[in-house]
Amino acid sequence: MIGIFGGTFNPVHYGHLRSALEVKDIFDLAEIRLIPSANPPHRDLPSVSAESRLKMLQLAIDQQTDLKIDDRELNRAGPSYMVDTLKSIRSEIGSQPLILFIGSDAFNQLTTWHEWQALFNYAHIVVLTRPNYHLQALNDFFSAHLSIDRTELAQNSAGKLYFQSVRQLDISATAIRDMIAQHKNPGFLLPDKVLTYIRQHQLYLR
Ligand code: ATP
């Protein structure tokens, strides 16, 4: 099984990295790929270029062989629709199971994503939840795709919705950007090498 974790990573932080490592173990993934978004359709254009966000991801992962970066969205013009990314990965991996991991915040917006129902033609979706998180009412489409047995994901290429509780670190890129803008030190919320890069390039100072 291959897992992917999309985001703006503006900047990448330990919340992203820890979750990615954790799901690699929980789902016994052959690979977990972090996919930086170039032009996220749901938000303003990130304040920092795609190249810098990619560079920070590379610095964050460094010697960590358990995590990989997939930069295909940066090589594609137009909005970074996840459905196009999944199609493109699917065309390369044949019928291997593919899992798209998203946070519960992203799941709450999922029905606004471009061709959101088609996502399930190409991948399973696993929503990363907090321990004791209470599921919101699911619409009929989600209920029809819901699985409560993790082994079903390995047995099918795509099409299941699963909720997985992971250790949550209360870290967000927004909070890190705000700290930097206020000349506070966000150390220990993100890798030192990423923070050094941010300082060298004077990012997020506003
Ligand atoms: P921002 O604060 O700018 O919205 P972010 O920290 O939420 O950024 P994104 O790049 O937007 O980071 O998130 C990418 C993915 O990582 C999303 O699915 C999001 O839900 C998830 N995510 C973000 N922060 C955490 C965290 N602390 N723990 C687990 N998942 C996270």
Side-chain angles (χ1 to χ4, degrees):
M1 278 201 290
I2 294 181
I4 68 172
F5 199 96
T8 39
F9 302 115
N10 186 30
V12 60
H13 54 67
Y14 284 134
H16 303 128
L17 297 166
R18 184 61 228 160
S19 301
L21 263 192
E22 209 152 302
V23 297
K24 182 166 192 282
D25 281 345
I26 294 171
F27 291 87
D28 194 21
L29 301 174
E31 220 179 87
I32 175 91
R33 305 180 186 178
L34 303 177
I35 306 195
S37 167
N39 301 304
H42 289 99
R43 46 202 300 169
D44 295 339
L45 208 58
S47 51
V48 162
S49 72
E51 290 69 26
S52 292
R53 290 182 287 112
L54 175 62
K55 183 68 196 166
M56 290 190 279
L57 261 185
Q58 289 164 339
L59 290 168
I61 287 174
D62 196 22
Q63 314 287 338
Q64 177 59 258
T65 50
D66 274 331
L67 303 177
K68 292 200 163 64
I69 299 170
D70 182 326
D71 64 359
R72 75 185 62 219
E73 291 195 358
L74 304 189
N75 301 317
R76 203 166 71 210
S80 305
Y81 291 128
M82 183 51 78
V83 69
D84 295 333
T85 302
L86 296 183
K87 265 184 219 172
S88 147
I89 295 175
R90 175 55 69 200
S91 71
E92 295 168 2
I93 65 168
S95 59
Q96 267 192 80
L98 176 65
I99 303 180
L100 167 64
F101 292 94
I102 60 176
S104 36
D105 52 330
F107 178 67
N108 290 335
Q109 307 289 322
L110 194 67
T111 55
T112 67
W113 290 21
H114 183 63
E115 295 183 17
W116 63 273
Q117 289 163 316
L119 297 168
F120 289 88
N121 297 335
Y122 305 103
H124 303 300
I125 294 188
V126 170
V127 184
L128 305 180
T129 61
R130 292 184 161 78
N132 307 319
Y133 171 89
H134 292 290
L135 266 190
Q136 311 215 348
L138 299 180
N139 67 27
D140 290 345
F141 182 90
F142 288 143
S143 301
H145 289 76
L146 183 66
S147 170
I148 50 168
D149 175 3
R150 197 187 297 144
T151 60
E152 284 187 347
L153 276 65
Q155 291 158 2
N156 295 273
S157 315
K160 303 288 179 198
L161 172 66
Y162 187 83
F163 289 82
Q164 176 65 49
S165 149
V166 287
R167 181 191 312 270
Q168 280 280 326
L169 302 178
D170 188 10
I171 305 175
S172 73
T174 304
I176 293 173
R177 292 193 302 271
D178 287 347
M179 289 173 84
I180 296 169
Q182 293 163 25
H183 302 282
K184 293 182 184 157
N185 184 352
F188 307 115
L189 298 178
L190 71 175
D192 280 346
K193 285 183 181 175
V194 176
L195 188 52
T196 303
Y197 179 92
I198 290 171
R199 289 187 170 138
Q200 277 167 352
H201 295 82
Q202 305 189 337
L203 305 181
Y204 309 120
L205 287 171
R206 297 215 174 103

